[in-house]
Amino acid sequence: MVIDMRLSKYFIPTLKEVTADVQMPSHKLMVRSGMVRQLAAGVFSWLPMGHIVLKKVMNILRNEIDSIGGQEFLLPALNPIDIWEETNRVEAMGDVMFHIKNRDGLILAPTHEEVITYHARQHVKSYRDMPMVWYQIQTKFRNEPRPKSGVLRGRQFIMKDAYSLDSSWEGLDENYQKHYEAYCNIFNTCGIKFFVVGASSGAMGGKQSQEFMVESDAGEDLCAISDSGYAANIEVATSKVNPVGRIAEDLAIEEFATPNAKSIDDLVEQYHIPEHRCAKSVVYMVDDKPIIILMRGNDELNENKLESILGTNIFRPATSEELITYTGANGGSIGPVNLKTNIRVIADNLLKDANGLVSGANKDGYHYKNIDFARDVEIKEYYDLRTIKEGEPNPMDGEPIRIVKAIELGHIFKLGTKYSDAMGATFLDSDGKEKPIIMGSYGIGVERVIACYIEQNYDKYGIKWNKELTPFNAHIVGLNTKKSEEVREACEKLYNELQSNSLDTIYDDRDDSVGVKFNDADLLGVPIQIVVGSKNLANGQVEIKYRESGEKILVGLEEALAKVKAYYSA
RNA sequence: CGGGGCGUGGCGCAGUCCGGUUAGCGCGUCUGGUUUGGGACCAGAAGGCCGGAGGUUCGAAUCCUCUCGCCCCGACCA
């Protein structure tokens, strides 16, 4: 069925202006070009042209995931809460999960590990049943506290989510690698400039994960990258900073009065202590138990690193009452020596074996100096706990790190057995033993692909689609179609010719002034515009304009089809 | 959840401090006419419970209270 894509009939409501609070270029253009309309905060309707682009992206996703052996499912958004309780994720998701009010026991699924594991548990019972890659392209619901940037962060969004089932860890590695490559192919095909970073698994659990990122000021993630190839999400990024180390003098530990020093900056300023020889103490409560974290000078604690060390995300900074109860002092005078109670102390790697350090005396208004971590304190646990900073040498080759903002387009995880353990999804291995299925999960935000593409491909006039994503192959701009029968006929001829050659063509047959038509054509951004006007037509010619380059050429009416064909077969 | 801002014809906005004609402007829409290679022009017209509820007042888009919605910053985030 060929759809009538004459603009006089086809619903593409373009706009000259959008409300002032639309900030991102891609958001603005998606609204102006009639691709989407907002229905509620974080909830969008996709209009016909936007929907076509969505389907194009989905097809690219489908082709790639099919080619690595994916089998497409369509899983329900309504889920029984029971399976989520099995994995303890009702609590872990918290407010992010939508709960159905008038039907107990149903939730709206924010992701689908549980459903997949449920079906795997039913039917995948032998190592012979694996490997499997199951996937779907479907709508997710997340009660985001703050939806933003148009379609980039919504409460309802479409995700391509894939899950691998393996009987061995080697199998998982293989499936993970296949997805890595498929994801690169997908974003390359879409024409999106991206980079990959090592990432934190967060509440998803698992042992390894990587994110596919697009650099953008609108991004919500910070990434540490260097030109030589190091790339990591700031949540997990490390750097090669020299440890604090030892000084020659071997002085005895000594208390001294610091009545006006409440911060590291004060110590540095008032007592001329080098910043890196101050050991900062931060107290957190984990499961109602205090823990002291020692950091170098004004280094910042990285809570994501802390989370993976503690193995839980349920912790918080201690209150001032708790500080006094457990350490004996208020914030600003806390340290590892002379603690009031026996509590767990962990320290950043940079402080290991250091001496000549200054830290709080756990007595308001006093600090110790000449602290030797090898002599005066007994700290068994040293970890990488700091948030790295711009310019530090990367851990691979020492090239300086740049920190950039980025949008997360895709994320691949080695889940391991977290879900299969929790839900009892086991199989019989060749050795006759029952084992948990080894899983991976792999997601791409479909709307984000489109927004990021536009973010990288527009000018002041509108969108610039490439061959892969463009909603239409050609855009016929008929000038003065109302008055000129010749123009009308030429347009119709072209339109039918292109359509019957399977080239999706939109035809602007509206009775509008030329300016409106040219501007809408540039706004919609179809790669090839064919301008049909009576002046050129008098010479049997039409004008072809390439949206990307702006190049315009005159060709004979009967050559236009060939030009369009040539463009798409190149 | 904390801080800030905004809800006025389909769209974008002014008016709100300091209450008082018939609530304006641009775009769009409709009718007629003139135009036509980069968002045309003339003439006419339709279209509003000023987000909602309550209150103050002779009188409320405007002041007060409550409420709903949306945006931005922060917190949070798979």
Side-chain angles (χ1 to χ4, degrees):
Chain A
M1 173 73 194
V2 177
I3 299 160
D4 189 353
M5 292 191 292
R6 288 170 178 83
L7 266 186
S8 62
K9 305 271 188 245
Y10 199 70
F11 186 59
I12 304 184
T14 58
L15 253 25
K16 268 201 261 197
E17 49 190 4
V18 292
T19 179
D21 49 45
V22 171
Q23 297 294 326
M24 282 188 77
S26 58
H27 185 191
K28 202 175 286 188
L29 287 169
M30 287 169 81
V31 173
R32 284 194 54 213
S33 66
M35 292 175 70
V36 297
R37 287 293 181 268
Q38 181 168 331
L39 219 211
V43 181
F44 286 82
S45 296
W46 286 83
L47 278 35
M49 167 161 142
H51 187 216
I52 292 175
V53 179
L54 258 184
K55 287 188 282 189
K56 292 232 169 173
V57 173
M58 292 184 202
N59 276 332
I60 291 170
L61 294 167
R62 236 173 228 126
N63 286 339
E64 285 298 332
I65 305 302
D66 284 350
S67 81
I68 58 168
Q71 306 178 46
E72 188 171 3
F73 283 57
L74 183 58
L75 303 170
L78 270 180
N79 279 200
I81 199 167
D82 315 31
I83 56 174
W84 290 83
E85 269 156 3
E86 288 186 46
T87 58
N88 224 352
R89 282 172 107 198
V90 178
E91 192 191 352
M93 292 286 169
D95 280 342
V96 170
M97 187 185 271
F98 282 106
H99 292 251
I100 304 293
K101 235 180 172 174
N102 66 345
R103 176 67 65 184
D104 277 349
L106 281 183
I107 57 98
L108 290 177
T111 172
H112 284 263
E113 281 78 11
E114 277 75 2
V115 179
I116 287 287
T117 311
Y118 175 85
H119 293 303
R121 171 171 76 187
Q122 287 179 312
H123 297 297
V124 178
K125 302 311 296 176
S126 157
Y127 73 97
R128 295 178 205 274
D129 297 333
M130 291 179 279
M132 284 276 179
V133 173
W134 293 351
Y135 81 100
Q136 63 166 344
I137 300 173
Q138 178 259 14
T139 300
K140 305 272 180 271
F141 296 87
R142 296 184 188 181
N143 187 16
E144 293 290 346
R146 183 146 95 84
K148 58 183 285 202
S149 306
V151 105
L152 271 188
R153 177 167 292 274
R155 295 208 166 110
Q156 165 174 350
F157 60 96
I158 301 168
M159 183 187 268
K160 188 287 304 169
D161 47 325
Y163 307 85
S164 61
L165 310 174
D166 276 285
S167 58
S168 71
W169 293 94
E170 294 71 36
L172 171 61
D173 291 345
E174 229 172 89
N175 264 325
Y176 185 89
Q177 185 59 28
K178 279 184 187 169
H179 277 89
Y180 179 95
E181 282 158 23
Y183 275 33
C184 290
N185 292 340
I186 285 165
F187 300 128
N188 285 330
T189 302
C190 289
I192 293 171
K193 293 182 268 301
F194 69 97
F195 60 98
V196 184
V197 298
S200 149
S201 312
M204 292 291 292
K207 27 182 289 182
Q208 190 193 346
S209 86
Q210 284 169 297
E211 290 168 327
F212 291 74
M213 305 299 252
V214 167
E215 189 171 345
S216 162
D217 272 344
E220 301 177 90
D221 285 87
L222 292 175
C223 294
I225 59 178
S226 50
D227 298 334
S228 55
Y230 179 73
N233 194 305
I234 195 104
E235 295 170 351
V236 297
T238 59
S239 67
K240 220 162 46 185
V241 175
N242 290 331
V244 173
R246 303 188 68 81
I247 54 172
E249 298 97 311
D250 190 17
L251 301 168
I253 188 166
E254 187 187 323
E255 187 183 283
F256 67 115
T258 51
N260 298 315
K262 293 274 175 253
S263 67
I264 300 292
D265 285 342
D266 294 342
L267 284 173
V268 171
E269 213 170 280
Q270 297 169 26
Y271 302 94
H272 310 293
I273 298 157
E275 195 175 50
H276 66 278
R277 294 228 169 253
C278 297
K280 172 169 85 168
S281 310
V282 193
V283 182
Y284 272 71
M285 299 300 294
V286 189
D287 229 1
D288 291 330
K289 288 194 209 92
I291 179 169
I292 290 198
I293 300 146
L294 292 162
M295 306 286 301
R296 183 190 70 154
N298 272 0
D299 273 351
E300 198 187 318
L301 172 67
N302 182 325
E303 291 198 349
N304 290 284
K305 291 180 180 177
L306 184 63
E307 175 182 337
S308 52
I309 290 160
L310 299 175
T312 172
N313 64 347
I314 303 170
F315 53 77
R316 59 172 173 83
T319 63
S320 36
E321 294 78 39
E322 285 165 340
L323 290 181
I324 296 185
T325 308
Y326 294 112
T327 71
N330 280 298
S333 300
I334 293 169
V337 184
N338 190 34
L339 279 163
K340 190 173 162 191
T341 58
N342 187 20
I343 61 184
R344 183 178 177 191
V345 181
I346 66 176
D348 186 74
N349 282 335
L350 294 182
L351 291 172
K352 196 167 188 183
D353 293 330
N355 70 348
L357 297 172
V358 170
S359 195
N362 298 311
K363 187 161 102 179
D364 283 347
Y366 290 90
H367 279 74
Y368 283 116
K369 57 183 162 189
N370 310 326
I371 304 173
D372 186 338
F373 267 39
R375 178 190 69 193
D376 303 320
V377 294
E378 200 189 337
I379 298 171
K380 297 197 188 79
E381 300 176 81
Y382 285 93
Y383 304 104
D384 172 31
L385 286 162
R386 38 192 310 276
T387 303
I388 65 145
K389 296 185 181 128
E390 175 105 22
E392 291 178 356
N394 80 54
M396 276 170 43
D397 58 13
E399 283 293 304
I401 284 171
R402 279 185 300 128
I403 294 183
V404 300
K405 285 167 116 180
I407 297 165
E408 180 187 342
L409 261 190
H411 202 159
I412 56 179
F413 295 86
K414 290 185 183 174
L415 293 177
T417 59
K418 175 178 162 137
Y419 296 91
S420 45
D421 279 334
M423 295 181 67
T426 58
F427 66 99
L428 272 187
D429 207 349
S430 54
D431 58 9
K433 291 194 176 127
E434 187 174 49
K435 296 175 184 171
I437 296 172
I438 298 167
M439 298 175 61
S441 99
Y442 317 89
I444 289 179
V446 181
E447 291 97 334
R448 284 186 179 184
V449 171
I450 297 171
C452 285
Y453 173 83
I454 295 173
E455 207 61 27
Q456 293 179 349
N457 297 279
Y458 72 93
D459 61 17
K460 64 176 174 173
Y461 302 108
I463 304 170
K464 293 176 166 184
W465 291 114
N466 62 18
K467 293 175 207 171
E468 300 293 337
L469 299 187
T470 186
F472 314 107
N473 297 304
H475 184 142
I476 300 173
V477 180
L479 305 180
N480 307 319
T481 37
K482 190 180 183 188
K483 209 173 193 180
S484 165
E485 203 186 321
E486 297 76 43
V487 169
R488 230 165 31 235
E489 278 171 6
C491 287
E492 289 289 339
K493 179 169 178 285
L494 254 178
Y495 177 65
N496 290 327
E497 210 171 62
L498 287 158
Q499 294 277 40
S500 55
N501 278 272
S502 298
L503 291 160
D504 292 328
T505 301
I506 194 143
Y507 164 29
D508 192 346
D509 63 330
R510 295 173 301 176
D511 181 24
D512 268 306
S513 69
V514 297
V516 170
K517 295 190 176 193
F518 283 134
N519 280 300
D520 271 356
D522 288 345
L523 174 62
L524 299 191
V526 174
I528 298 184
Q529 298 170 13
I530 305 172
V531 181
V532 183
S534 40
K535 283 177 195 167
N536 287 323
L537 207 53
N539 306 320
Q541 289 181 311
V542 296
E543 179 188 287
I544 288 185
K545 175 178 166 183
Y546 297 94
R547 179 68 179 88
E548 168 60 34
S549 63
E551 186 196 354
K552 296 175 186 173
I553 55 170
L554 283 174
V555 301
L557 176 60
E558 58 294 332
E559 291 172 68
L561 171 66
K563 286 285 178 193
V564 178
K565 274 186 170 169
Y567 179 86
Y568 285 99
S569 57

